[in-house]
Amino acid sequence: MRARAHVGPGRREARAWSGERGAAGMGEFKVHRVRFFNYVPSGIRCVAYNNQSNRLAVSRTDGTVEIYNLSANYFQEKFFPGHESRATEALCWTEGQRLFSAGLNGEIVEYDLQALNVKYAMDAFGGPIWSMTASPSGSQLLVGCEDGSVKLFQITPDKIQFERNFDRQKSRILSLSWHPSGTHIAAGSIDYISVFDVKSGSAIHKMIVDRQYMGVSKRKCIVWGVAFLSDGTVISVDSAGKVQFWDSATGTLVKSHPIANADVLSIAVADQEDSFVVGTAEGTVFHFQLVSVTSNSSEKQWVRTKPFQHHTHDVRTVAHSPTALISGGTDTHLVIRPLMEKVEVKNYDAALRKITFPHRCLISCSKKRQLLLFQFAHHLELWRLGSTVATGKNGDILPLSKNADHLLHLKTKGPENIICSCISSCGSWIAYSTASRFFLYRLNYEHDNISLKRVSKMPAFLRSALQILFSEDSKKLFVASNQGSLHVIQLLEGSFKHLHAFQPQSGTVEAMCLLAVSPDGNWLAASGTSAGVHVYNVKQLKLHCTVPAYNFPVTALAIAPNTNNLVIAHSDQQVFEYSIPDKQYTEWSRAVQKQGFHHLWLQRDTPITHIGFHSKRPMHILLHDAYMFCIIDKSLPLPNDKTLLYNPLPPTSESDVVRRRTAHAFKISKIYKPLLFMELLDEGTLVAVERPLDDIIAQLPPPIKKKKFGT
Amino acid sequence: MAALEDEFTLSSGVLSAGPDGLLGVEQSNKTDQFLVTDRGRTVVLYKVSDQKPLGSWSVKQGQLITCSAVCNFQTGEYVVVHDNKVLRIWNNEDVNLDKVFKATLSAEVHKIHSVRGTEPVLLFKEGAVRGLEALLAEPQQEIEAVLSDGEVIRWTKLFMVFRHPVLIFITEKHGNYFVYVHMVNSHTLSKYTLLRGQEEKSVIQSFTASVDRKFISVMSLSSDGCVYETLIPVYPTDPEENQRVVSSLLLRAVVSGSAPSGVALTVLDRDHVAVLGSPLSASKECLSVWNIKFQTLQTSKELPQGTSGQLWYYGENLLMLHGQSLTVIPYKCEVSSLAGALGKLKHSHDPGIQVMPPFVNWEASQGDGLGSQHAEQPRRILRRRKIEVSSQPAVPPSKQLLTTIMKDSEKHIEMELRKFLAVKTPDFHAIVGDLVTGLLGRCQVEPSFCPRNCLVQLIQTHVLSYSLCPGLMEMAVKKTDVQLLQLCLQRFPDIPESVTCACLKIFLSIGDDSLHQAEIDMESVFDYGDSVQGDNVAAPVDVLQNGFSPEGDTCLSCCQEVPAKPQDAAAATPTCPVTPQRAALLNAILHSGYSEAFLLPHLKDIPAQHITLFLKYLYFLYLKCSENATMTLPGIHPPTLNQILDWICLLLDANFTVVVMIPEAKRLLISLYKFVKSQISVYSELNKIEVSFRELQKLNQEKNNRGLYSIEVLELF
């Protein structure tokens, strides 16, 4: 009876234990489910892929430029705020990974990728700029202007310098492409393509594009894109829906592929010149490949191989990385479609990525007054959450005793987009910043009236902030400026006092973009885009320690109450817990790293954008990305790869044995999506801000209508 | 495509398999380990990938294991019952079954079930069900009798439905079958009487079942050799009442009912079942995989040493007793096309020819793409292929074959070709093309040389295309070899429009008597006989299916001009205007791809009476199509509605001026005109209501939308 004795009491004990656990479990939450955040991302205008750093620059129609690190799980690691007049039409990388854009205001802009601001803007004096391209060596820039001029600029180490004009054309230059040897360029205009000799600057060929398409004559044929291949072939895409191949030596049309009934808007060629991709106004992306005419013959031919329909609207821009096709357009999605034959390992990286929402937080909340502050491109909205007295069981919608109120609509002055914003925990301070100005407001609540007063005379060094944070007691304000310094400001009734500025380590100018302050106000953690996380002692105003560096960028930071553990989420979906007082990783974090995260956790494709805590739940960490939120209960065992990480069904009548066996630390819910913000308001109340994709689509212009019935 | 891989045996020495076979094979908690229980005293744990036993346990002499050992997935322990009532629990470290935990129960156990995600469940002979833990807490507890006297459990299985264990067992009493569904957690039992239709007289020989969200689908193999399916709801509407369920025929005559050692059936996945038994045609026993969706035989394997009529399926392995040894046949079902699933039956008589995928991988055809495909296949096959390659002579067989083609007799070429096709080489596409070119070259030199069988074989490899051997179809057109032309039309993806049109001309003009002699693939032609006889009574079925009747349209001006009496329409109703042979050939034309701009000029060359004939046939097909709601034709590979309509348009576009002058085509044109007019009104109606549809959709969305703000309750578990 050995086995029996072993089994019996053990089981009974376990049952009693699991009963206790059930009582002390996660329990019920009241969730404020918010869908009135009326955020619409801007359409994508251009993308530019940089092969050396494996980074992708994306510009949007509001002038925002975003940098995605394709090696770091497609994380959006940097962004430059938009500007009303700076409509970007072209974007390109040059030697030394410098990024330039040009737009309809006629200016060429260079971005400072370290300090995250505009380095300089330079007028090209040719009217609106429609196209720009860097020379194959990366040392020269070519822009095509409204007045028909093509201008060559020399890139100097700290600026660009105008060199000369090419022969002036009759109409605007919409597209440009450089021959890989650098001796010739092709320029697409309205109704024709010109081939220039770079040395002399004169046009050697003019190739007239047919306006007709399927028997219908359009008024004009706009050459939206050209690509110059090393064998002298010029590929053009135009508004008549054609992809055409031209021989630049003779100036003749070699082949024409009619592929769409609408405009073909963009083209990108792979570096090996064995494949290229075009995007159409119908939302289709076509892949063309150079394949042998017959087996084992050296004669090759361009063949349209694969169509992809990942967009509903115009595909304004495409890029071709060695392993993927990248496309973006009016429907605001950035789509990265890996080429399966180029992917060596068929892991999760080979999956299609569709990036719609920014990888940063646009929402802040005041826990005490239950306020939400929404950040839009040119205004802020302040909302008060409603309330209910009812209770219910899982899944119930409770009757509202008070609905949510729109309290405030704060419009910015000037053409610049808002970079960041924050509301204090008590709800009486709001701060936001644009690229050149910093604003601080004091709010007074009298019954239902709110009065707003701007705190004037901000100091000169507070011109622009990348991140703003109030301390929990609303007495201090922390500002990360783009020069790499962190300012600590004491807030008084209606005024402020500058306490200290933590200067960046000597030699670095890297901007800090994430901040976290401990609830007791003693510790401040700050992280830049690449270097590690620094922790400062706010009382003694000195650097306390630096968290060991990690390969992947930080996506979210927070400091837990009581324990002062710093929780860091990285773009590769790893989460670390670092004890600030002990200056080392906590035992729990070591245990997690030792066992490794569940494979499904690591396969999520959006980064964690916010981490939250509540002081009455010391063992719990709230994290969320765009498609799920998770409360980690550190007291429970970690899941291994065999356990079910996420179970959408509530447990019903399972025996305690099963429940005990399956209970693990990661409590995940995917009810709210796409999820832009989630926070614990108090112990049993959550606020979730959703932005359904349908609501975004409803605000986009209608796509090209395709008849459903009949032909 | 479902496929059975090479079989391998687990060592046979340890087991004492009697004539009745084994007691059971059950899964262990490691994926490729199985617990095998024989009818005597032994339980053996096998590791399939190593093909060897890991452990073996026996009960004492004089004791007898009465139900197969299972693994408790929650604890990793093994559970077995011997002498009907004695329960034993042990684990891998235990050596002697006599010394492990023992519990004596108060009633006889029929079977223990264990599946992942729940504790083992015991089914008693009297029909009672207990969970293992509840039973262990009080082994001597009273076990109630559920079944009536004389009722015997025939088959039983445990499922997890939404993480709840559900036990189903089937009993028999006096030739009547009853199905019991027992929800283990809630202890609800529902009983169903299995009503059997025309197969009343036959005896059910094997059961299997699968479960989806709401229904358990029980399949049974009867002694008449057919598979029947019965759907049983998981959640009964009224558990108290004795309900009836009806079985329906799923597959007809898969095995002969009178197999010596019995037959077995098991569900592989949603669309496939495996059947063990002797097929009707052969006497040897055979394991066959059937697609129940298309009712086609996917693959089969002969088992010459005979089986015990038992079959188990776990993971990807089919286990059975073949001769004296336990045999494992891995089963794979890769995603495949409908065409592939349908095609296997046709080719099963010709195993030498392997079907190549019809699509072209652009990357692969550029370089040595086949090499990379090899790498993805299991290692075992790779090794075999390497041996094949190394054993090849220094002169490539393709070169040898080419010289054979140039010199030898037809018979010899045919034999050599068959040998060559049996082995697949990396640049298969190119070599097959070279072979055809070689054959055609010799044809031109020697007019008497006609290697027709060789050509047919080569075409059926599916790798040829028009551009690989442009001379082939030209030759067939010259010789008016309709069979070869049909084959080419079916297989080649890239036939130029001029050649398609030349084929069409031949198909329309060739005499009926010469058609009768040709062996034509009639797959795409359904039986026109019924319709010819039936149409005298059947009312003219027009485009009523679309919700619109041209007769009802009063503004249809032509109706007044033409006497639109029902009898008149009846006269025009479907009698197939061409013989089935010709219909099959024309269907091949309809299936082939074309580009309008290139086809139209060639169509103009066809004589007017042939055009009228073809139009009549197309119109007949259209009328046939509109007889059913899905607008499809019966048959295996019929022309689609779109193909029919496109061709009608093409013919009229090309020849309208000619056709309109022919008196006999007038009636046809009028009916086509009416048809087009009615279609236009249907589509314009649809386009009109599209907006309303969209509004309805919006309304529907708003209903689902919970508004902009709500407070909800969420429980995290």
Side-chain angles (χ1 to χ4, degrees):
Chain A
M1 293 304 279
R2 181 174 60 87
R4 183 82 196 102
H6 160 72
V7 166
R11 280 184 188 176
R12 217 153 290 139
E13 261 170 38
R15 205 160 287 167
W17 174 78
S18 84
E20 276 165 29
R21 275 247 46 83
M26 200 61 68
E28 281 186 350
F29 291 95
K30 266 185 197 171
V31 185
H32 293 266
R33 188 171 192 174
V34 172
R35 296 184 180 202
F36 46 70
F37 179 34
N38 193 13
Y39 167 76
V40 180
S42 303
I44 291 175
R45 180 61 194 91
C46 334
V47 294
Y49 173 73
N50 185 306
N51 207 350
Q52 273 109 43
S53 61
N54 200 21
R55 278 174 170 79
L56 183 74
V58 174
S59 80
R60 296 187 179 261
T61 45
D62 67 349
T64 309
V65 173
E66 295 159 355
I67 313 283
Y68 291 84
N69 186 347
L70 303 194
S71 312
N73 216 357
Y74 306 92
F75 179 60
Q76 181 194 323
E77 57 178 12
K78 293 168 190 174
F79 85 102
F80 301 92
H83 191 285
E84 260 173 7
S85 68
R86 210 195 295 142
T88 313
E89 282 293 318
L91 198 61
C92 65
W93 295 92
T94 66
E95 203 181 12
Q97 288 164 39
R98 291 166 68 179
L99 181 65
F100 291 88
S101 79
L104 296 183
N105 62 354
E107 285 180 344
I108 303 170
V109 176
E110 183 177 359
Y111 298 90
D112 186 333
L113 296 172
Q114 283 297 314
L116 300 187
N117 56 10
V118 169
K119 221 183 211 172
Y120 56 84
M122 189 172 175
D123 200 320
F125 298 106
I129 300 175
W130 290 97
S131 53
M132 176 170 67
T133 175
S135 69
S137 64
S139 61
Q140 285 166 313
L141 268 185
L142 202 62
V143 296
C145 305
E146 171 75 16
D147 64 356
S149 60
V150 177
K151 293 168 191 279
L152 186 67
F153 287 82
Q154 197 71 38
I155 301 172
T156 57
D158 50 347
K159 236 179 149 135
I160 53 169
Q161 199 169 22
F162 175 72
E163 200 160 290
R164 62 197 163 89
N165 274 321
F166 285 18
D167 284 1
R168 178 88 152 259
Q169 302 297 305
K170 277 206 300 278
S171 49
R172 60 179 71 146
I173 306 295
L174 287 150
S175 47
L176 284 170
S177 176
W178 216 301
H179 188 270
S181 69
T183 54
H184 291 82
I185 59 159
S189 183
I190 295 171
D191 286 335
Y192 66 90
I193 302 160
S194 313
V195 178
F196 291 91
D197 182 66
V198 174
K199 219 176 230 170
S200 66
S202 56
I204 53 170
H205 279 299
K206 194 166 159 186
M207 303 180 290
I208 311 289
V209 180
D210 191 4
R211 290 181 182 184
Q212 291 229 330
Y213 175 69
M214 307 233 332
V216 184
S217 179
K218 291 210 172 180
R219 225 152 37 85
K220 272 172 182 170
C221 182
I222 302 160
V223 181
W224 285 119
V226 287
F228 214 141
L229 305 185
S230 44
D231 65 354
T233 305
V234 174
I235 311 171
S236 71
V237 298
D238 59 44
S239 61
K242 304 188 295 277
V243 175
Q244 293 185 312
F245 296 82
W246 307 82
D247 184 344
S248 69
T250 57
T252 49
L253 177 64
V254 178
K255 200 161 184 191
S256 182
H257 285 264
I259 59 163
N261 287 321
D263 297 33
V264 185
L265 292 170
S266 45
I267 178 169
V269 182
D271 284 347
Q272 288 83 24
E273 296 189 357
D274 58 350
S275 99
F276 70 88
V277 55
V278 300
T280 74
E282 287 165 332
T284 322
V285 169
F286 289 102
H287 189 203
F288 282 74
Q289 280 171 286
L290 193 63
V291 294
S292 306
V293 180
T294 54
S295 65
N296 59 41
S297 90
S298 60
E299 193 190 342
K300 291 194 167 186
Q301 199 179 355
W302 284 104
V303 177
R304 187 176 90 196
T305 51
K306 292 169 229 145
F308 301 109
Q309 183 88 43
H310 299 301
H311 296 276
T312 52
H313 290 67
D314 296 20
V315 179
R316 298 290 298 270
T317 177
V318 287
H320 197 312
S321 84
T323 55
L325 307 181
I326 300 158
S327 56
T330 313
D331 64 0
T332 77
H333 304 296
L334 176 66
V335 174
I336 300 167
R337 174 72 171 73
L339 294 168
M340 294 317 285
E341 64 267 17
K342 298 276 169 63
V343 181
E344 275 163 23
V345 196
K346 296 217 165 121
N347 62 2
Y348 203 67
D349 276 345
L352 172 81
R353 294 289 177 117
K354 209 170 192 177
I355 301 168
T356 311
F357 296 104
H359 292 164
R360 58 182 199 276
C361 219
L362 299 175
I363 298 160
S364 53
C365 99
S366 151
K367 291 187 184 183
K368 282 183 195 141
R369 283 189 184 267
Q370 307 225 320
L371 302 174
L372 287 178
L373 182 71
F374 297 144
Q375 174 191 326
F376 296 85
H378 290 286
H379 71 275
L380 297 174
E381 281 180 16
L382 185 65
W383 290 73
R384 176 158 47 211
L385 295 173
S387 57
T388 182
V389 286
T391 52
K393 60 178 197 304
N394 187 24
D396 285 358
I397 300 176
L398 303 177
L400 297 177
S401 55
K402 197 158 88 53
N403 208 336
D405 284 336
H406 186 180
L407 298 182
L408 196 67
H409 184 101
L410 194 62
K411 255 188 89 70
T412 58
K413 298 188 184 82
E416 292 168 334
N417 286 13
I418 297 173
I419 302 175
C420 58
S421 61
C422 192
I423 185 167
S424 68
S425 184
C426 65
S428 17
W429 297 93
I430 286 179
Y432 73 88
S433 173
T434 67
S436 64
R437 291 172 84 182
F438 183 89
F439 299 85
L440 180 64
Y441 292 90
R442 170 87 184 163
L443 278 84
N444 276 310
Y445 301 84
E446 287 158 21
H447 307 294
D448 279 350
N449 292 332
I450 301 164
S451 58
L452 184 77
K453 196 174 158 238
R454 187 176 165 199
V455 179
S456 52
K457 290 185 212 138
M458 297 308 291
F461 53 81
L462 270 185
R463 274 186 40 234
S464 160
L466 291 171
Q467 185 68 271
I468 309 167
L469 194 67
F470 289 95
S471 65
E472 196 92 341
D473 57 5
S474 304
K475 290 199 174 132
K476 287 202 180 82
L477 171 68
F478 305 99
V479 178
S481 81
N482 55 5
Q483 266 75 47
S485 51
L486 290 172
H487 299 281
V488 183
I489 292 156
Q490 189 170 18
L491 297 170
L492 309 161
E493 187 70 33
S495 67
F496 63 87
K497 194 178 140 199
H498 184 250
L499 284 184
H500 186 73
F502 294 112
Q503 292 305 327
Q505 253 92 337
S506 56
T508 62
V509 281
E510 197 203 38
M512 295 291 163
C513 15
L514 287 168
L515 292 178
V517 66
S518 65
D520 60 12
N522 288 345
W523 309 103
L524 176 68
S527 143
T529 49
S530 58
V533 181
H534 304 289
V535 180
Y536 299 94
N537 187 326
V538 179
K539 283 252 166 73
Q540 297 169 10
L541 296 175
K542 68 177 176 82
L543 181 70
H544 176 68
C545 62
T546 299
V547 180
Y550 188 69
N551 289 344
F552 286 88
V554 178
T555 67
L557 273 182
I559 301 175
N562 310 328
T563 55
N564 283 330
N565 288 338
L566 173 66
V567 178
I568 310 165
H570 290 277
S571 72
D572 62 345
Q573 311 296 7
Q574 296 288 344
V575 178
F576 295 96
E577 191 188 43
Y578 183 82
S579 167
I580 295 175
D582 300 345
K583 297 192 188 181
Q584 62 177 3
Y585 288 111
T586 61
E587 278 306 313
W588 181 80
S589 184
R590 283 171 210 272
V592 171
Q593 288 306 316
K594 203 169 166 194
Q595 174 161 354
F597 281 90
H598 194 279
H599 66 106
L600 292 178
W601 175 270
L602 297 176
Q603 283 173 0
R604 291 178 303 114
D605 60 359
T606 50
I608 286 168
T609 49
H610 183 76
I611 302 172
F613 298 98
H614 196 273
S615 54
K616 285 186 188 146
R617 291 174 170 270
M619 295 307 276
H620 294 175
I621 307 171
L622 168 81
L623 312 119
H624 80 84
D625 66 13
Y627 297 101
M628 64 107 216
F629 79 90
C630 171
I631 295 184
I632 298 178
D633 185 343
K634 290 193 283 177
S635 61
L636 287 179
L638 294 166
N640 59 22
D641 273 359
K642 279 174 203 140
T643 32
L644 188 66
L645 182 70
Y646 165 62
N647 176 21
L649 296 165
T652 44
S653 61
E654 270 158 0
S655 69
D656 289 339
V657 183
V658 177
R659 198 183 288 194
R660 180 200 351 133
R661 230 177 276 274
T662 52
H664 60 77
F666 288 70
K667 309 293 182 191
I668 291 175
S669 167
K670 297 187 183 177
I671 293 178
Y672 313 110
K673 57 189 174 184
L675 187 60
L676 296 194
F677 180 73
M678 184 131 208
E679 182 63 289
L680 271 159
L681 287 178
D682 61 50
E683 198 189 354
T685 312
L686 284 165
V687 57
V689 181
E690 279 180 292
R691 184 64 184 146
L693 281 179
D694 287 345
D695 296 358
I696 294 179
I697 292 164
Q699 299 202 18
L700 295 177
I704 291 179
K705 190 174 182 286
K706 287 180 197 157
K707 241 183 175 179
K708 233 179 201 160
F709 303 105
T711 43
Chain B
M1 189 79 191
L4 294 174
E5 291 184 6
D6 285 351
E7 60 185 85
F8 50 95
T9 54
L10 302 178
S11 60
S12 58
V14 195
L15 284 172
S16 59
D20 293 338
L22 300 167
L23 204 53
V25 177
E26 297 282 344
Q27 254 181 316
S28 163
N29 56 350
K30 305 244 169 50
T31 44
D32 75 344
Q33 296 183 7
F34 295 98
L35 281 171
V36 179
T37 314
D38 69 10
R39 293 218 182 256
R41 304 187 291 126
T42 318
V43 179
V44 185
L45 178 68
Y46 278 108
K47 188 170 164 71
V48 167
S49 54
D50 291 356
Q51 302 183 28
K52 66 171 192 195
L54 294 181
S56 160
W57 298 271
S58 300
V59 291
K60 254 198 313 206
Q61 195 92 37
Q63 293 174 337
L64 190 68
I65 294 180
T66 50
C67 89
S68 57
V70 298
C71 175
N72 183 346
F73 291 106
Q74 297 189 342
T75 60
E77 295 163 330
Y78 306 119
V79 187
V80 77
V81 171
H82 64 83
D83 298 311
N84 290 322
K85 282 185 176 177
V86 186
L87 191 76
R88 294 279 189 181
I89 300 179
W90 81 98
N91 59 29
N92 267 329
E93 285 84 52
D94 290 315
V95 179
N96 195 339
L97 268 194
D98 214 31
K99 291 185 179 157
V100 301
F101 168 71
K102 169 183 173 182
T104 308
L105 309 174
S106 63
E108 294 193 343
V109 178
H110 177 79
K111 193 167 169 56
I112 319 171
H113 282 288
S114 181
V115 291
R116 272 173 218 284
T118 184
E119 57 167 346
V121 173
L122 277 80
L123 173 66
F124 289 89
K125 282 197 176 155
E126 300 283 78
V129 176
R130 291 286 187 276
L132 182 66
E133 289 203 32
L135 202 62
L136 287 180
E138 201 188 334
Q140 281 296 322
Q141 62 183 274
E142 200 177 310
I143 304 294
E144 74 279 4
V146 175
L147 305 182
S148 58
D149 273 349
E151 204 173 339
V152 188
I153 298 176
R154 286 280 170 230
W155 175 85
T156 148
K157 187 162 179 174
L158 183 68
F159 291 107
M160 290 301 278
V161 182
F162 288 125
R163 304 179 61 201
H164 294 290
V166 175
L167 182 72
I168 170 170
F169 55 97
I170 297 174
T171 61
E172 188 197 348
K173 187 181 183 180
H174 308 313
N176 295 320
Y177 291 90
F178 304 97
V179 183
Y180 293 81
V181 178
H182 189 112
M183 315 284 289
V184 177
N185 283 346
S186 59
H187 292 291
T188 47
L189 179 73
S190 13
K191 180 179 178 183
Y192 302 89
T193 309
L194 194 62
L195 288 184
R196 302 164 70 213
Q198 66 268 47
E199 78 280 11
E200 195 99 46
K201 279 152 260 141
S202 58
V203 184
I204 299 185
Q205 292 188 319
S206 178
F207 288 98
T208 184
S210 61
V211 70
D212 66 357
R213 283 153 183 282
K214 283 185 192 142
F215 288 100
I216 301 171
S217 144
V218 175
M219 288 175 207
S220 55
L221 184 60
S222 282
S223 55
D224 58 356
C226 302
V227 178
Y228 298 89
E229 187 188 31
T230 312
L231 289 182
I232 294 162
V234 175
Y235 304 103
T237 42
D238 183 6
E240 301 303 317
E241 210 177 310
N242 185 355
Q243 295 164 64
R244 284 142 192 267
V245 285
V246 184
S247 59
S248 57
L249 182 66
L250 196 64
L251 282 176
R252 193 182 288 280
V254 291
V255 286
S256 75
S258 54
S261 55
V263 292
L265 171 76
T266 188
V267 174
L268 300 174
D269 53 44
R270 231 176 48 199
D271 299 332
H272 295 92
V273 293
V275 179
L276 187 69
S278 14
L280 301 172
S281 51
S283 58
K284 272 184 190 145
E285 280 191 65
C286 185
L287 174 71
S288 39
V289 176
W290 288 79
N291 186 319
I292 47 177
K293 206 185 216 169
F294 304 117
Q295 313 192 347
T296 49
L297 176 67
Q298 294 289 294
T299 179
S300 73
K301 193 169 218 101
E302 270 193 16
L303 301 166
Q305 295 171 43
T307 67
S308 61
Q310 287 168 303
L311 183 63
W312 295 271
Y313 177 61
Y314 296 111
E316 286 184 333
N317 294 317
L318 280 158
L319 295 104
M320 72 218 70
L321 208 58
H322 182 202
Q324 280 301 304
S325 48
L326 186 63
T327 301
V328 180
I329 301 183
Y331 161 77
K332 281 261 162 61
C333 184
E334 273 147 26
V335 180
S336 66
S337 63
L338 174 60
L342 289 170
K344 188 69 188 182
L345 250 192
K346 197 171 67 188
H347 292 294
S348 55
H349 63 271
D350 199 346
I353 295 170
Q354 280 172 292
V355 180
M356 287 283 271
F359 66 89
V360 180
N361 180 352
W362 293 107
E363 292 298 310
S365 67
Q366 255 179 306
D368 51 344
L370 274 164
S372 66
Q373 280 177 9
H374 285 185
E376 284 166 24
Q377 283 168 347
R379 197 166 292 160
R380 192 148 42 81
I381 291 179
L382 189 74
R383 206 175 297 140
R384 196 182 63 198
R385 185 150 299 168
K386 265 186 196 153
I387 294 163
E388 272 169 15
V389 171
S390 60
S391 68
Q392 274 165 11
V395 182
S398 56
K399 284 269 162 60
Q400 283 184 330
L401 193 55
L402 270 175
T403 50
T404 318
I405 282 171
M406 286 296 119
K407 287 174 213 140
D408 286 350
S409 71
E410 255 173 70
K411 265 264 148 43
H412 188 199
I413 294 175
E414 218 177 307
M415 261 168 51
E416 288 296 314
L417 185 65
R418 198 160 292 159
K419 269 189 228 160
F420 169 74
L421 289 179
V423 185
K424 198 140 281 178
T425 46
D427 48 351
F428 194 65
H429 285 256
I431 294 172
V432 170
D434 290 344
L435 291 180
V436 175
T437 326
L439 283 170
L440 292 176
R442 191 163 161 203
C443 278
Q444 274 176 351
V445 182
E446 289 174 57
S448 61
F449 178 74
C450 181
R452 207 160 159 281
N453 290 336
C454 297
L455 289 174
V456 169
Q457 252 187 48
L458 284 168
I459 294 169
Q460 274 171 344
T461 54
H462 280 263
V463 298
L464 273 185
S465 58
Y466 181 84
S467 40
L468 266 178
C469 50
L472 177 61
M473 285 190 81
E474 255 103 87
M475 186 201 75
V477 167
K478 221 176 274 170
K479 293 188 176 172
T480 59
D481 185 341
V482 285
Q483 187 202 351
L484 207 61
L485 286 177
Q486 189 198 18
L487 209 57
C488 292
L489 283 169
Q490 284 168 348
R491 298 285 191 272
F492 292 179
D494 56 345
I495 299 173
E497 284 76 358
S498 59
V499 179
T500 314
C501 211
C503 294
L504 179 62
K505 264 189 222 171
I506 292 174
F507 292 168
L508 286 169
S509 59
I510 193 166
D512 276 342
D513 41 344
S514 47
L515 272 181
H516 277 296
Q517 289 155 15
E519 278 178 53
I520 291 167
D521 176 12
M522 303 287 287
E523 194 185 51
S524 65
V525 183
F526 56 95
D527 190 8
Y528 294 126
D530 303 346
S531 63
V532 173
Q533 284 154 12
D535 66 15
N536 293 334
V537 254
V541 185
D542 220 290
V543 283
L544 273 167
Q545 296 298 339
N546 275 343
F548 186 86
S549 149
E551 274 86 359
D553 195 347
T554 45
C555 67
L556 204 65
S557 56
C558 76
C559 273
Q560 274 106 46
E561 292 165 30
V562 182
K565 286 178 284 181
Q567 293 95 314
D568 178 61
T573 41
T575 42
C576 184
V578 295
T579 59
Q581 282 86 357
R582 202 188 297 278
L585 294 175
L586 292 176
N587 285 352
I589 295 276
L590 296 186
H591 280 305
S592 62
Y594 61 86
S595 170
E596 264 175 54
F598 299 116
L599 190 61
L600 276 176
H602 299 289
L603 284 178
K604 290 193 172 130
D605 302 341
I606 301 177
Q609 65 268 30
H610 288 159
I611 289 288
T612 329
L613 179 68
F614 195 24
L615 270 178
K616 273 184 186 155
Y617 173 62
L618 289 169
Y619 187 59
F620 161 76
L621 286 182
Y622 168 71
L623 289 180
K624 279 275 153 205
C625 266
S626 49
E627 271 174 20
N628 63 12
T630 50
M631 302 291 271
T632 50
L633 286 169
I636 297 174
H637 190 46
T640 64
L641 185 67
N642 277 343
Q643 285 168 340
I644 297 166
L645 292 183
D646 285 347
W647 270 94
I648 292 181
C649 296
L650 272 174
L651 287 175
L652 288 177
D653 279 350
N655 300 291
F656 189 71
T657 45
V658 182
V659 175
V660 85
M661 302 297 281
I662 305 174
E664 56 262 38
K666 194 177 176 188
R667 179 162 292 154
L668 181 72
L669 286 181
I670 286 167
S671 29
L672 283 174
Y673 170 73
K674 275 199 272 182
F675 151 67
V676 170
K677 191 147 188 173
S678 67
Q679 287 288 315
I680 289 173
S681 11
V682 168
Y683 283 127
S684 72
E685 288 300 315
L686 277 175
N687 276 326
K688 266 185 240 165
I689 55 177
E690 192 194 347
V691 185
S692 323
F693 274 140
R694 218 178 295 139
E695 285 306 313
L696 277 175
Q697 212 171 0
K698 246 187 225 165
L699 281 177
N700 214 9
Q701 271 174 2
E702 271 162 29
K703 211 188 281 170
N704 295 335
N705 203 336
R706 295 175 169 202
L708 293 177
Y709 179 62
S710 58
I711 301 181
E712 295 174 13
V713 180
L714 173 75
E715 195 179 348
L716 279 182
F717 305 102

